[in-house]
Amino acid sequence: MIRSGARFGGTLVDIPHGMKLGWNGDAMSALESLMTEQGHPPVFASHLDRLACRDLIKTGSHSFFSASLLLPEELREAAYALYAFCRLSDDAVDVENGNGLAILRLKERLDGVYGGEPEPLPSDRCLADVVRRYAIPRYVFDLLLEGFEWDVSGRTYKTLDDVEAYGERVAGSVGAMMAALMGVRDPAMVERACDLGVAMQLTNIARDIGEDAQNGRLYLPLDWFVAAGLDAGDWLKDPQFLPQIGDMTSLLLSRAESLYRRADQAIARLPALVRPAIFAARLLYAEIGRVIHDQGYNSIHERANTSPARKAWLVGAAMQRAARPMPKAALTIQDGLNRPLVAAICLEPPPPRAANKRPGGVKDDLNWVLDLFSDLEVRDRTGRRSS
């Protein structure tokens, strides 16, 4: 007996009656075999590949992993694939220490991903599946790599607008990818997704001022140094906390907060299945700014971290916020399709697909969150740095 009309990502597959859909190894292997038999495009990634991507985010970013557990299962696995490729790409650029060879290598890997011949790496095989199923345009990855090229060249930024242009590449692009995963193609909504990514990048910059300076990198606007009566080059040679640096950090976080608030308007309009996770990511990341504030805006001598207990509270707050009624007023558009990243997503027709709704309700979500943060607390006690 055949039940027609079941979807795996963007692919319509005939599923035998009684077969359960999921991301566990046995079910996925059987489903992939069915797809091959029915002449659908190949599935590049195995169950073990997906587990490798999940483990990477679990150890690499506690905040994003925490938030991701509130996503529907299919979207969660897709988000892991995006994170894995972006994270490993960033690491590869850092390892090359500025000679640019890693950028060329990453472009070759993307050629394979978009050409249907991914390299034999879990991240690349998973990404090849995701970009096909969710119609993610190559442009967003090219923009991401351009941001990496700016890092490799040791680029500095004269104005805050220049800093945000960098953030658009290395983080706004990720916001655009997530919008594509969720089937969002409305220009105002995608614009807010990019804003959320830029806000997170500004928070990153504020948190890492000292660490970046030790590595010879400076992301604060040079104009701010001039206005403060400081020489940016001299400060970079001996990066110490100064009241002027604290003022710059405060300004950066204020701008991030305004972008977080803009993003809130769009998050509240997302489908109910994905709203809690995106609110959680937003609150967890913005919390880093609050910690920096409590440190007197000194991120030179101490790196801001959030305790597992506080993270658990914030995830609970995100779930409460997500449960509020959706706003009725229409979103305003600032740049819309004139913003290249927004246009790239909105002008790419989304594949027809249905979200993989995870069974269970709020009680199950809360149990997952409690179990997760018990695990994170153990990790913190072993001396691993919490992201």
Side-chain angles (χ1 to χ4, degrees):
M1 181 176 181
I2 299 294
R3 174 169 59 86
S4 299
R7 291 193 180 277
F8 179 54
T11 304
L12 183 65
V13 188
D14 291 332
I15 306 297
H17 180 70
M19 179 179 179
K20 295 182 179 180
L21 295 180
W23 287 91
N24 60 293
D26 292 341
M28 286 302 301
S29 296
L31 183 54
E32 289 161 5
S33 297
L34 278 174
M35 292 178 70
T36 301
E37 292 172 6
Q38 295 171 23
H40 296 299
V43 176
F44 297 109
S46 68
H47 178 60
L48 291 178
D49 289 335
R50 298 184 191 96
L51 289 179
C53 291
R54 182 204 64 185
D55 289 344
L56 185 65
I57 189 173
K58 187 174 182 180
T59 57
S61 176
H62 294 167
S63 294
F64 281 125
F65 182 68
S66 318
S68 74
L69 290 183
L70 301 180
L71 281 172
E73 194 169 15
E74 181 182 329
L75 292 184
R76 184 164 69 242
E77 298 291 342
Y80 292 165
L82 293 179
Y83 177 89
F85 186 85
C86 293
R87 174 61 184 266
L88 291 175
S89 298
D90 192 27
D91 289 348
V93 172
D94 285 341
V95 168
E96 291 293 343
N97 198 27
N99 64 15
L101 292 178
I103 303 294
L104 295 175
R105 183 79 184 95
L106 289 171
K107 290 179 178 179
E108 292 174 353
R109 288 170 58 188
L110 279 176
D111 288 342
V113 165
Y114 277 88
E117 297 180 354
E119 297 203 5
L121 300 167
S123 60
D124 290 35
R125 288 191 292 254
C126 288
L127 185 63
D129 284 341
V130 169
V131 299
R132 185 187 72 234
R133 292 174 187 162
Y134 296 93
I136 300 177
R138 168 76 182 257
Y139 176 78
V140 297
F141 288 97
D142 289 337
L143 203 66
L144 174 71
L145 294 190
E146 184 178 19
F148 290 164
E149 287 178 321
W150 289 6
D151 280 332
V152 165
S153 68
R155 189 174 183 136
T156 54
Y157 305 94
K158 183 178 180 181
T159 67
L160 179 59
D161 285 345
D162 295 336
V163 175
E164 290 187 24
Y166 167 73
E168 179 87 342
R169 284 155 176 77
V170 298
S173 58
V174 179
M177 293 175 198
M178 289 300 297
L181 290 191
M182 293 181 286
V184 174
R185 292 298 196 279
D186 174 75
M189 293 285 285
V190 176
E191 188 175 56
R192 297 304 200 280
C194 297
D195 286 342
L196 179 59
V198 174
M200 290 177 170
Q201 185 60 33
L202 296 182
T203 302
N204 263 339
I205 291 172
R207 180 192 61 192
D208 297 339
I209 290 174
E211 183 177 330
D212 287 333
Q214 292 294 333
N215 292 319
R217 293 180 177 177
L218 182 65
Y219 295 95
L220 292 171
L222 299 180
D223 277 358
W224 290 2
F225 281 87
V226 174
L230 297 176
D231 184 283
D234 289 344
W235 180 81
L236 199 57
K237 293 174 184 176
D238 182 24
Q240 298 295 325
F241 179 73
L242 301 169
Q244 297 96 318
I245 300 298
D247 291 341
M248 296 181 203
T249 306
S250 175
L251 286 173
L252 200 64
L253 290 173
S254 293
R255 175 56 178 163
E257 184 58 33
S258 69
L259 292 174
Y260 284 127
R261 288 196 298 268
R262 275 178 55 83
D264 285 344
Q265 303 168 23
I267 300 172
R269 291 169 170 80
L270 289 171
L273 281 174
V274 300
R275 207 180 304 146
I278 308 304
F279 265 131
R282 176 259 192 263
L283 292 178
L284 287 164
Y285 233 75
E287 178 70 6
I288 295 170
R290 187 195 66 80
V291 175
I292 295 172
H293 169 273
D294 291 347
Q295 293 174 182
Y297 295 110
N298 181 357
S299 54
I300 306 296
H301 301 130
E302 185 176 2
R303 194 175 193 272
N305 287 305
T306 309
S307 71
R310 179 65 177 169
K311 288 179 181 177
W313 186 90
L314 288 167
V315 171
M319 294 174 65
Q320 289 184 337
R321 184 179 293 193
R324 296 173 186 170
M326 290 177 57
K328 295 181 180 179
L331 278 177
T332 58
I333 297 179
Q334 183 171 339
D335 297 313
L337 296 177
N338 291 324
R339 190 169 175 175
L341 194 51
V342 174
I345 296 297
C346 295
L347 299 180
E348 182 80 19
R353 59 180 177 78
N356 181 9
K357 184 174 181 180
R358 173 174 46 77
V362 172
K363 182 178 179 181
D364 296 316
D365 288 335
L366 288 174
N367 286 336
W368 282 6
V369 169
L370 291 174
D371 289 344
L372 165 70
F373 286 107
S374 294
D375 176 58
L376 293 185
E377 189 169 12
V378 170
R379 288 172 177 271
D380 287 341
R381 287 173 182 170
T382 65
R384 296 187 182 184
R385 188 177 71 188
S386 176
S387 299

